[in-house]
Amino acid sequence: QISMALNPGSGGMSGTASIDLASFELSDSLTDVVFEITDLDEAPEAIVQIAPVYPSKLKKAGVQGRVWILFLVDENGLTSKQRVTESPHDELAESALKAIRQWKFKPGKKDGKAVKTRVQIPLAFSVKT
């Protein structure tokens, strides 16, 4: 079972997990503005969510956990600059990245205009018992 959540309140971060968001390159130029979810009038909304493939050998071995992914949602609702910030296993991280690259969003809005937004979400991989 794989669960996915979009947490617009805190960028998806909770608990003791930490990431240096300042090191996350957001733009290619000084005029390329990226907003935080908390600064928007409307948060991005996922409209196409491709579930990651749970690698069978990891599932059989009972490897589970959350993969945290940081990425941008652009003005067209496409994701870019996807990066894993935390993962229990490299293969789970790769599977989660492949899925997020296919997601589509209704873009976030600021003052009625679609804008680039930084988003962080967890994708949870768990074995049902």
Side-chain angles (χ1 to χ4, degrees):
Q1 177 181 11
I2 300 170
S3 65
M4 301 172 278
L6 179 59
N7 183 345
S10 63
M13 291 302 295
S14 62
T16 59
S18 66
I19 177 174
D20 181 10
L21 293 178
S23 69
F24 182 62
E25 176 120 1
L26 293 176
S27 62
D28 298 324
S29 71
L30 296 176
T31 60
D32 193 18
V33 178
V34 176
F35 289 87
E36 299 296 326
I37 288 177
T38 54
D39 296 328
L40 300 178
D41 302 324
E42 292 180 42
E45 181 183 332
I47 54 177
V48 174
Q49 293 178 295
I50 305 300
V53 174
Y54 204 147
S56 60
K57 70 178 183 178
L58 297 182
K59 189 174 184 178
K60 287 178 187 174
V63 176
Q64 23 186 28
R66 286 198 168 129
V67 177
W68 285 90
I69 301 183
L70 182 64
F71 57 96
L72 296 182
V73 174
D74 70 16
E75 302 91 339
N76 299 311
L78 302 176
T79 67
S80 66
K81 299 189 180 185
Q82 304 89 349
R83 187 174 87 188
V84 172
T85 60
E86 184 180 329
S87 179
H89 196 281
D90 289 344
E91 285 185 54
L92 294 180
E94 186 56 38
S95 179
L97 277 174
K98 284 180 184 176
I100 289 293
R101 289 181 181 126
Q102 299 175 70
W103 283 31
K104 306 284 186 262
F105 286 80
K106 177 181 170 189
K109 290 189 178 181
K110 177 73 173 170
D111 299 326
K113 292 173 60 175
V115 294
K116 288 184 182 172
T117 308
R118 177 173 35 198
V119 176
Q120 180 149 6
I121 63 166
L123 295 181
F125 293 80
S126 63
V127 178
K128 272 191 169 179
T129 53

